[in-house]
CSV table of all heavy atoms in Angstrom, one decimal:
chain,number,residue,atom,x,y,z
D,8,TYR,N,-103.1,-38.8,113.8
D,8,TYR,CA,-103.5,-40.1,114.2
D,8,TYR,C,-105.0,-40.1,114.3
D,8,TYR,O,-105.6,-39.7,115.3
D,8,TYR,CB,-102.9,-40.5,115.6
D,8,TYR,CG,-103.3,-41.9,116.1
D,8,TYR,CD1,-103.6,-43.0,115.3
D,8,TYR,CD2,-103.4,-42.1,117.5
D,8,TYR,CE1,-104.0,-44.2,115.8
D,8,TYR,CE2,-103.8,-43.3,118.0
D,8,TYR,CZ,-104.1,-44.4,117.2
D,8,TYR,OH,-104.5,-45.6,117.7
D,9,PRO,N,-105.7,-40.4,113.2
D,9,PRO,CA,-107.2,-40.3,113.2
D,9,PRO,C,-107.9,-41.6,113.7
D,9,PRO,O,-107.3,-42.7,113.6
D,9,PRO,CB,-107.5,-40.1,111.7
D,9,PRO,CG,-106.4,-40.9,111.0
D,9,PRO,CD,-105.2,-40.9,111.9
D,10,GLY,N,-109.1,-41.4,114.3
D,10,GLY,CA,-109.8,-42.6,114.7
D,10,GLY,C,-111.1,-42.1,115.4
D,10,GLY,O,-111.4,-40.9,115.5
D,11,SER,N,-111.9,-43.1,115.8
D,11,SER,CA,-113.1,-42.8,116.5
D,11,SER,C,-112.9,-42.6,118.0
D,11,SER,O,-113.6,-41.9,118.7
D,11,SER,CB,-114.3,-43.7,116.2
D,11,SER,OG,-113.8,-45.0,115.9
D,12,PHE,N,-112.0,-43.5,118.5
D,12,PHE,CA,-111.6,-43.4,119.9
D,12,PHE,C,-112.9,-43.3,120.9
D,12,PHE,O,-113.0,-42.4,121.7
D,12,PHE,CB,-110.7,-42.2,120.2
D,12,PHE,CG,-109.5,-42.1,119.3
D,12,PHE,CD1,-109.4,-41.1,118.3
D,12,PHE,CD2,-108.6,-43.1,119.4
D,12,PHE,CE1,-108.3,-41.1,117.5
D,12,PHE,CE2,-107.5,-43.1,118.5
D,12,PHE,CZ,-107.3,-42.1,117.6
D,13,ASP,N,-113.8,-44.3,120.7
D,13,ASP,CA,-115.0,-44.3,121.5
D,13,ASP,C,-115.0,-45.6,122.4
D,13,ASP,O,-115.7,-46.5,122.1
D,13,ASP,CB,-116.2,-44.4,120.5
D,13,ASP,CG,-117.5,-44.4,121.2
D,13,ASP,OD1,-117.7,-43.5,122.2
D,13,ASP,OD2,-118.4,-45.2,120.9
D,14,PRO,N,-114.3,-45.5,123.5
D,14,PRO,CA,-113.5,-44.5,124.0
D,14,PRO,C,-112.0,-44.8,123.7
D,14,PRO,O,-111.7,-45.9,123.2
D,14,PRO,CB,-113.7,-44.7,125.5
D,14,PRO,CG,-113.8,-46.2,125.7
D,14,PRO,CD,-114.5,-46.7,124.4
D,16,THR,N,-108.4,-46.2,124.4
D,16,THR,CA,-108.0,-47.4,125.2
D,16,THR,C,-106.5,-47.3,125.4
D,16,THR,O,-105.8,-46.5,124.7
D,16,THR,CB,-108.3,-48.7,124.5
D,16,THR,OG1,-107.5,-48.8,123.3
D,16,THR,CG2,-109.8,-48.8,124.1
D,17,ASN,N,-105.9,-48.2,126.2
D,17,ASN,CA,-104.5,-48.3,126.4
D,17,ASN,C,-103.8,-48.7,125.1
D,17,ASN,O,-102.6,-48.4,124.9
D,17,ASN,CB,-104.1,-49.2,127.5
D,17,ASN,CG,-104.5,-48.7,128.8
D,17,ASN,OD1,-104.7,-47.5,129.0
D,17,ASN,ND2,-104.5,-49.5,129.9
D,18,GLY,N,-104.5,-49.4,124.2
D,18,GLY,CA,-103.9,-49.8,122.9
D,18,GLY,C,-103.7,-48.5,122.0
D,18,GLY,O,-102.7,-48.3,121.4
D,19,HIS,N,-104.7,-47.6,122.0
D,19,HIS,CA,-104.5,-46.3,121.3
D,19,HIS,C,-103.4,-45.5,121.9
D,19,HIS,O,-102.6,-44.9,121.2
D,19,HIS,CB,-105.8,-45.4,121.5
D,19,HIS,CG,-107.0,-46.0,120.8
D,19,HIS,ND1,-108.3,-46.1,121.4
D,19,HIS,CD2,-107.2,-46.5,119.6
D,19,HIS,CE1,-109.2,-46.6,120.6
D,19,HIS,NE2,-108.6,-46.9,119.5
D,21,ASP,N,-100.8,-46.5,123.5
D,21,ASP,CA,-99.5,-47.1,123.2
D,21,ASP,C,-99.0,-46.5,121.8
D,21,ASP,O,-97.9,-46.2,121.6
D,21,ASP,CB,-99.6,-48.6,123.2
D,21,ASP,CG,-98.3,-49.3,122.7
D,21,ASP,OD1,-97.3,-49.1,123.4
D,21,ASP,OD2,-98.4,-50.0,121.7
D,22,ILE,N,-100.0,-46.5,120.9
D,22,ILE,CA,-99.7,-46.0,119.6
D,22,ILE,C,-99.3,-44.5,119.7
D,22,ILE,O,-98.4,-44.0,119.0
D,22,ILE,CB,-100.9,-46.1,118.6
D,22,ILE,CG1,-101.2,-47.6,118.4
D,22,ILE,CG2,-100.6,-45.5,117.2
D,22,ILE,CD1,-100.2,-48.5,117.6
D,25,ARG,N,-95.7,-44.0,121.2
D,25,ARG,CA,-94.7,-44.4,120.2
D,25,ARG,C,-94.6,-43.3,119.1
D,25,ARG,O,-93.5,-43.0,118.6
D,25,ARG,CB,-94.9,-45.8,119.7
D,25,ARG,CG,-94.6,-46.8,120.8
D,25,ARG,CD,-95.3,-48.1,120.6
D,25,ARG,NE,-95.0,-48.8,119.3
D,25,ARG,CZ,-95.7,-49.7,118.8
D,25,ARG,NH1,-96.8,-50.2,119.4
D,25,ARG,NH2,-95.4,-50.3,117.6
D,41,LEU,N,-119.3,-39.8,112.5
D,41,LEU,CA,-119.0,-41.1,112.1
D,41,LEU,C,-120.2,-41.9,111.7
D,41,LEU,O,-121.3,-41.6,112.1
D,41,LEU,CB,-118.3,-41.9,113.2
D,41,LEU,CG,-117.1,-41.2,113.8
D,41,LEU,CD1,-116.7,-41.9,115.2
D,41,LEU,CD2,-115.9,-41.4,112.9
D,43,LYS,N,-120.8,-44.8,112.4
D,43,LYS,CA,-121.3,-45.6,113.5
D,43,LYS,C,-121.8,-44.8,114.6
D,43,LYS,O,-121.3,-43.7,114.9
D,43,LYS,CB,-120.2,-46.6,113.9
D,43,LYS,CG,-118.9,-46.0,114.2
D,43,LYS,CD,-117.8,-47.1,114.3
D,43,LYS,CE,-116.5,-46.5,114.5
D,43,LYS,NZ,-115.4,-47.5,114.3
D,75,GLN,N,-109.5,-38.1,106.0
D,75,GLN,CA,-108.3,-38.1,106.7
D,75,GLN,C,-107.2,-37.2,106.0
D,75,GLN,O,-106.5,-36.5,106.7
D,75,GLN,CB,-107.7,-39.5,106.9
D,75,GLN,CG,-108.5,-40.4,107.7
D,75,GLN,CD,-108.0,-41.8,107.8
D,75,GLN,OE1,-106.9,-42.1,107.2
D,75,GLN,NE2,-108.6,-42.7,108.5
D,88,ILE,N,-100.9,-41.8,110.8
D,88,ILE,CA,-100.6,-43.0,111.6
D,88,ILE,C,-101.8,-43.8,111.8
D,88,ILE,O,-102.9,-43.3,112.1
D,88,ILE,CB,-100.1,-42.6,113.0
D,88,ILE,CG1,-98.8,-41.7,112.9
D,88,ILE,CG2,-99.8,-43.8,113.9
D,88,ILE,CD1,-98.6,-40.9,114.1
D,89,ARG,N,-101.7,-45.1,111.7
D,89,ARG,CA,-102.8,-46.1,112.0
D,89,ARG,C,-102.1,-47.2,112.8
D,89,ARG,O,-101.0,-47.6,112.6
D,89,ARG,CB,-103.5,-46.6,110.8
D,89,ARG,CG,-104.2,-45.5,110.0
D,89,ARG,CD,-105.5,-45.0,110.6
D,89,ARG,NE,-106.5,-46.1,110.6
D,89,ARG,CZ,-107.7,-45.9,111.1
D,89,ARG,NH1,-108.0,-44.8,111.8
D,89,ARG,NH2,-108.6,-46.9,111.1
D,90,GLY,N,-102.9,-47.8,113.7
D,90,GLY,CA,-102.4,-49.0,114.4
D,90,GLY,C,-103.0,-50.3,113.7
D,90,GLY,O,-104.1,-50.3,113.2
D,91,ILE,N,-102.2,-51.3,113.8
D,91,ILE,CA,-102.6,-52.6,113.2
D,91,ILE,C,-102.5,-53.7,114.2
D,91,ILE,O,-101.5,-53.8,114.9
D,91,ILE,CB,-101.6,-53.0,112.0
D,91,ILE,CG1,-101.6,-52.0,110.9
D,91,ILE,CG2,-102.0,-54.4,111.5
D,91,ILE,CD1,-102.5,-52.2,109.8
D,92,ARG,N,-103.7,-54.4,114.4
D,92,ARG,CA,-103.7,-55.5,115.3
D,92,ARG,C,-103.6,-56.8,114.6
D,92,ARG,O,-102.6,-57.4,114.5
D,92,ARG,CB,-104.9,-55.4,116.2
D,92,ARG,CG,-104.9,-54.4,117.3
D,92,ARG,CD,-106.3,-54.0,117.8
D,92,ARG,NE,-107.1,-53.4,116.7
D,92,ARG,CZ,-108.3,-52.9,116.8
D,92,ARG,NH1,-108.9,-53.0,118.0
D,92,ARG,NH2,-108.9,-52.4,115.8
D,96,ASP,N,-107.5,-56.1,110.6
D,96,ASP,CA,-107.2,-54.7,110.5
D,96,ASP,C,-106.5,-54.4,109.2
D,96,ASP,O,-106.7,-53.4,108.5
D,96,ASP,CB,-106.3,-54.3,111.6
D,96,ASP,CG,-107.0,-53.9,112.9
D,96,ASP,OD1,-108.2,-53.8,112.9
D,96,ASP,OD2,-106.3,-53.8,114.0
D,99,PHE,N,-108.7,-53.9,106.0
D,99,PHE,CA,-109.4,-52.6,106.0
D,99,PHE,C,-108.4,-51.4,105.8
D,99,PHE,O,-108.6,-50.5,105.0
D,99,PHE,CB,-110.1,-52.4,107.4
D,99,PHE,CG,-110.7,-51.1,107.6
D,99,PHE,CD1,-112.0,-50.9,107.1
D,99,PHE,CD2,-110.1,-50.1,108.3
D,99,PHE,CE1,-112.6,-49.7,107.3
D,99,PHE,CE2,-110.7,-48.9,108.6
D,99,PHE,CZ,-112.0,-48.7,108.0
D,100,GLU,N,-107.2,-51.5,106.5
D,100,GLU,CA,-106.2,-50.4,106.4
D,100,GLU,C,-105.6,-50.4,105.0
D,100,GLU,O,-105.3,-49.3,104.5
D,100,GLU,CB,-105.2,-50.6,107.4
D,100,GLU,CG,-105.6,-50.5,108.9
D,100,GLU,CD,-106.2,-49.1,109.2
D,100,GLU,OE1,-105.9,-48.2,108.6
D,100,GLU,OE2,-107.0,-49.1,110.2
D,103,MET,N,-108.0,-48.6,102.8
D,103,MET,CA,-108.1,-47.1,103.1
D,103,MET,C,-106.7,-46.4,102.7
D,103,MET,O,-106.7,-45.3,102.2
D,103,MET,CB,-108.4,-46.9,104.5
D,103,MET,CG,-108.8,-45.5,104.8
D,103,MET,SD,-109.7,-45.3,106.4
D,103,MET,CE,-108.4,-45.8,107.5
D,119,LEU,N,-98.3,-48.7,112.7
D,119,LEU,CA,-97.5,-49.2,113.9
D,119,LEU,C,-98.2,-50.5,114.3
D,119,LEU,O,-99.4,-50.5,114.5
D,119,LEU,CB,-97.5,-48.1,115.0
D,119,LEU,CG,-96.8,-46.8,114.7
D,119,LEU,CD1,-96.8,-45.9,115.9
D,119,LEU,CD2,-95.3,-47.1,114.2
D,120,MET,N,-97.4,-51.5,114.5
D,120,MET,CA,-97.9,-52.8,114.9
D,120,MET,C,-98.2,-52.7,116.4
D,120,MET,O,-97.4,-52.2,117.2
D,120,MET,CB,-96.8,-53.8,114.7
D,120,MET,CG,-97.3,-55.2,114.6
D,120,MET,SD,-98.3,-55.5,113.1
D,120,MET,CE,-96.9,-55.5,111.9
D,121,THR,N,-99.4,-53.2,116.8
D,121,THR,CA,-99.8,-53.1,118.2
D,121,THR,C,-98.8,-53.9,119.1
D,121,THR,O,-98.1,-54.9,118.7
D,121,THR,CB,-101.2,-53.8,118.4
D,121,THR,OG1,-101.5,-53.6,119.8
D,121,THR,CG2,-101.2,-55.2,118.1
D,122,ALA,N,-98.6,-53.4,120.4
D,122,ALA,CA,-97.8,-54.2,121.3
D,122,ALA,C,-98.7,-55.4,121.7
D,122,ALA,O,-99.9,-55.4,121.7
D,122,ALA,CB,-97.7,-53.3,122.6
D,125,TYR,N,-101.8,-55.6,123.7
D,125,TYR,CA,-103.0,-54.9,123.3
D,125,TYR,C,-103.6,-55.5,122.0
D,125,TYR,O,-104.5,-55.0,121.4
D,125,TYR,CB,-102.7,-53.4,123.0
D,125,TYR,CG,-102.1,-52.8,124.2
D,125,TYR,CD1,-100.9,-52.0,124.2
D,125,TYR,CD2,-102.8,-52.9,125.5
D,125,TYR,CE1,-100.4,-51.4,125.3
D,125,TYR,CE2,-102.2,-52.3,126.6
D,125,TYR,CZ,-101.0,-51.5,126.5
D,125,TYR,OH,-100.5,-51.0,127.6
D,126,LEU,N,-103.1,-56.7,121.7
D,126,LEU,CA,-103.5,-57.3,120.4
D,126,LEU,C,-105.0,-57.6,120.4
D,126,LEU,O,-105.7,-57.4,119.3
D,126,LEU,CB,-102.8,-58.7,120.3
D,126,LEU,CG,-102.9,-59.4,119.0
D,126,LEU,CD1,-102.4,-58.6,117.8
D,126,LEU,CD2,-102.0,-60.7,119.1
D,127,PHE,N,-105.6,-57.9,121.5
D,127,PHE,CA,-107.0,-58.2,121.5
D,127,PHE,C,-107.9,-57.1,122.2
D,127,PHE,O,-109.0,-57.3,122.6
D,127,PHE,CB,-107.3,-59.6,122.2
D,127,PHE,CG,-106.6,-60.7,121.5
D,127,PHE,CD1,-105.4,-61.3,122.0
D,127,PHE,CD2,-107.0,-61.1,120.2
D,127,PHE,CE1,-104.8,-62.3,121.3
D,127,PHE,CE2,-106.4,-62.1,119.5
D,127,PHE,CZ,-105.2,-62.7,120.1
D,128,LEU,N,-107.3,-55.9,122.2
D,128,LEU,CA,-108.0,-54.8,122.9
D,128,LEU,C,-108.6,-53.9,121.9
D,128,LEU,O,-108.0,-53.4,121.0
D,128,LEU,CB,-107.0,-54.0,123.7
D,128,LEU,CG,-107.5,-52.8,124.5
D,128,LEU,CD1,-108.7,-53.1,125.3
D,128,LEU,CD2,-106.4,-52.2,125.3
D,129,SER,N,-109.9,-53.8,122.0
D,129,SER,CA,-110.6,-52.8,121.1
D,129,SER,C,-111.6,-52.0,121.9
D,129,SER,O,-112.1,-52.5,123.0
D,129,SER,CB,-111.4,-53.6,120.0
D,129,SER,OG,-112.4,-54.3,120.5
D,130,ALA,N,-112.0,-50.9,121.4
D,130,ALA,CA,-113.0,-50.0,122.1
D,130,ALA,C,-114.3,-50.8,122.3
D,130,ALA,O,-114.9,-50.7,123.3
D,130,ALA,CB,-113.2,-48.7,121.4
D,173,ASP,N,-116.0,-51.5,116.4
D,173,ASP,CA,-114.6,-51.3,116.0
D,173,ASP,C,-113.7,-52.3,116.8
D,173,ASP,O,-112.8,-52.0,117.5
D,173,ASP,CB,-114.1,-49.9,116.3
D,173,ASP,CG,-114.5,-49.4,117.6
D,173,ASP,OD1,-114.9,-50.2,118.5
D,173,ASP,OD2,-114.5,-48.1,117.8
Y,201,ADP,P1,-111.4,-46.3,113.6
Y,201,ADP,O1,-112.8,-46.4,113.8
Y,201,ADP,O2,-110.9,-45.2,112.7
Y,201,ADP,O3,-110.7,-47.7,113.2
Y,201,ADP,P2,-110.5,-46.6,116.2
Y,201,ADP,O4,-110.7,-45.7,117.3
Y,201,ADP,O5,-111.2,-48.0,116.3
Y,201,ADP,O6,-110.8,-45.9,114.9
Y,201,ADP,O7,-108.9,-46.9,116.1
Y,201,ADP,C1,-108.1,-45.8,115.7
Y,201,ADP,C2,-106.8,-46.5,115.3
Y,201,ADP,O8,-106.2,-47.2,116.4
Y,201,ADP,C3,-106.9,-47.5,114.2
Y,201,ADP,O9,-105.8,-47.4,113.4
Y,201,ADP,C4,-106.9,-48.8,115.0
Y,201,ADP,O10,-106.4,-49.9,114.2
Y,201,ADP,C5,-105.9,-48.5,116.1
Y,201,ADP,N1,-106.1,-49.3,117.2
Y,201,ADP,C6,-107.3,-49.6,117.9
Y,201,ADP,N2,-107.0,-50.4,118.9
Y,201,ADP,C7,-105.7,-50.7,118.9
Y,201,ADP,C8,-104.9,-51.5,119.7
Y,201,ADP,N3,-105.3,-52.2,120.8
Y,201,ADP,N4,-103.5,-51.6,119.4
Y,201,ADP,C9,-103.1,-50.9,118.4
Y,201,ADP,N5,-103.8,-50.1,117.6
Y,201,ADP,C10,-105.1,-50.0,117.8
Side-chain angles (χ1 to χ4, degrees):
Y8 176 34
S11 30
F12 307 112
D13 182 46
T16 69
N17 288 344
H19 295 134
D21 174 60
I22 299 288
R25 289 156 59 197
L41 304 166
K43 53 192 174 190
Q75 293 179 357
I88 300 159
R89 297 285 291 175
I91 300 266
R92 283 159 298 183
D96 275 348
F99 176 81
E100 296 297 339
M103 194 163 62
L119 297 182
M120 201 71 74
T121 184
Y125 304 127
L126 189 55
F127 299 105
L128 177 55
S129 68
D173 50 14

